[in-house]
Amino acid sequence: MKNELRSLDLNLLKALGALLQERSVTRAAHRLAISQPAVSGMLVKLREHFGDPLFVRTPDGMMPTARAEELAGPVTQILRDITQLLNPPHFDPLSATLTFTLAATDYALSAVLIPLIAELKSRAPGINLAVRPIIDGQVTQQLARGDVDLAFLTPETTAEELHSRSLYQEEYVCVAHRAHPAAQRLSMTLEQFCHYEHVLVSTEGKFSGPTDEKLAELHLERRVGVSVNSFHAVPEILRLTTMIAVLPRRLAMTTHDLVIIPMPLTVPGFTKSMAWHARRHQDPAHRWLRALCVEVSQQDDITLAT
DNA sequence: TCAGTTTCCAGGATCATCAC
DNA sequence: GTGATGATCCTGGAAACTGA
């Protein structure tokens, strides 16, 4: 008996499997869609390899030897495993157990990830999410290394080598605490907008943003009294002061004590997108997660529009 | 040294035929 | 009818060769 894998190819195992099932060289050949002499030749090689006749010709057909019957189980299992290996991987969210690492700003956490988590837990209870903050200049490397599976960015901050998909267009709205005079009027002039003290969100501690650029075009400016690095601090500051803020609409709508007041000027919004590395592009689990992100984002679009 | 081409040979296929 | 075997053809891989 030969022990080298070199002398045993997969086609011989397929032939053995067919012979075990059909107990006939002719029928095995038909099943494999090759000629009878080809299967006969394969049987010769199998006999040489295993050092056993494997099948003995009898009036009732080709009867397997004890060695052939011994091989039947393992051969069937091996052929089944190889078939499974060659088939495209299937992803079942209900039975999947894995962890995705996502990189997001605190805005994306509230606007995208929290709705995503709600859907994820009902559709894929075994999938865990780890959320990391966006680190400027490192996201592309984190995605390439596999430290992060999916990042929530904007098209402007997405590296060209990454795959990306736009999720929705975000707009800015003016917000104040419900006890604020402007919140009770539900309207605000441009002069009042500039008069009230503002809270601004800036991860770099800046005191100006897109709103100030737009005001500058009109030769106006507002009073920015506080700059914070997190959107989540804004509602509490507005509750305790008479300040107002300009926030992304999706964020403003998730905070109950805040009232959205129509903006007295138009400030350009931004596109929220997700980005991932090519190594995860074809991954069925990753594709499923991306589709869910798109679906959840579009659901929020409908909610906001109504 | 490396990439591309050519040559050689083993292995797998079919066809024809024989044996059981 | 079915399996085994020899003759022949085709294909693909390995080795040798060639040129940049």
Side-chain angles (χ1 to χ4, degrees):
Chain A
M1 179 176 136
K2 298 176 182 176
N3 283 322
E4 305 112 33
L5 273 174
R6 185 184 173 84
S7 63
L8 186 70
D9 68 29
L10 277 179
N11 289 321
L12 290 182
L13 284 186
K14 276 183 70 182
L16 180 55
L19 283 164
L20 284 163
Q21 287 192 312
E22 299 292 346
R23 299 194 175 191
S24 158
V25 174
T26 301
R27 288 199 299 275
H30 185 71
R31 173 186 277 259
L32 296 169
I34 59 177
S35 66
Q36 172 267 318
V39 176
S40 178
M42 288 173 166
L43 181 55
V44 170
K45 286 182 182 161
L46 285 164
R47 283 167 170 161
E48 286 174 4
H49 188 90
F50 289 104
D52 186 274
L54 296 177
F55 293 89
V56 180
R57 194 173 180 180
T58 72
D60 297 325
M62 299 289 275
M63 299 306 291
T65 63
R67 177 70 174 132
E69 286 181 336
E70 187 183 301
L71 290 168
V75 166
T76 304
Q77 183 61 47
I78 288 166
L79 292 173
R80 191 182 297 135
D81 288 348
I82 290 169
T83 303
Q84 197 173 359
L85 186 72
L86 296 176
N87 282 334
H90 174 69
F91 174 70
D92 177 22
L94 274 176
S95 61
T97 53
L98 55 100
T99 298
F100 284 116
T101 302
L102 311 180
T105 58
D106 62 341
Y107 160 73
L109 176 61
S110 296
V112 183
L113 293 192
I114 289 175
L116 174 72
I117 289 164
E119 281 297 320
L120 188 76
K121 283 297 138 188
S122 66
R123 297 194 201 182
I127 292 182
N128 298 326
L129 285 187
V131 182
R132 289 184 173 191
I134 295 282
I135 304 172
D136 289 339
Q138 292 189 26
V139 178
T140 305
Q141 287 76 17
Q142 287 178 313
L143 288 166
R145 285 197 304 264
D147 295 342
V148 168
D149 299 305
L150 193 60
F152 294 88
L153 306 166
T154 62
E156 295 76 23
T157 56
T158 302
E160 278 184 15
E161 62 262 37
L162 296 175
H163 289 270
S164 66
R165 162 85 195 250
S166 295
L167 293 173
Y168 57 83
Q169 182 67 29
E170 179 63 289
E171 61 175 353
Y172 285 109
V173 296
C174 181
V175 295
H177 187 262
R178 56 185 163 83
H180 195 282
Q184 291 172 357
R185 284 196 305 272
L186 276 178
S187 68
M188 190 186 295
T189 65
L190 193 54
E191 288 71 27
Q192 287 170 328
F193 180 80
C194 294
H195 171 75
Y196 288 124
E197 198 170 14
H198 286 244
V199 181
L200 179 129
V201 179
S202 168
T203 54
E204 297 144 343
K206 291 181 180 174
F207 278 80
S208 67
T211 305
D212 302 279
E213 290 170 15
K214 207 67 191 173
L215 286 170
E217 291 176 12
L218 303 170
H219 306 291
L220 295 169
E221 59 181 8
R222 61 174 175 169
R223 294 172 58 204
V224 176
V226 176
S227 173
V228 293
N229 65 353
S230 169
F231 285 104
H232 296 127
V234 175
E236 187 62 6
I237 294 170
L238 297 187
R239 189 180 71 82
L240 297 171
T241 67
T242 57
M243 300 173 85
I244 64 173
V246 173
L247 293 180
R249 175 180 282 275
R250 284 177 184 245
L251 204 64
M253 292 194 69
T254 61
T255 312
H256 299 302
D257 282 349
L258 299 186
V259 173
I260 296 175
I261 305 164
M263 286 277 277
L265 78 166
T266 305
V267 176
F270 59 91
T271 301
K272 199 62 194 172
S273 61
M274 57 181 175
W276 61 96
H277 194 266
R279 64 207 295 263
R280 303 303 305 272
H281 189 57
Q282 297 294 343
D283 178 356
H286 203 272
R287 292 174 71 157
W288 180 86
L289 179 70
R290 292 184 332 242
L292 186 62
C293 288
V294 171
E295 186 185 327
V296 166
S297 300
Q298 287 173 355
Q299 277 176 358
D300 285 352
D301 265 348
I302 294 165
T303 308
L304 292 172
T306 53

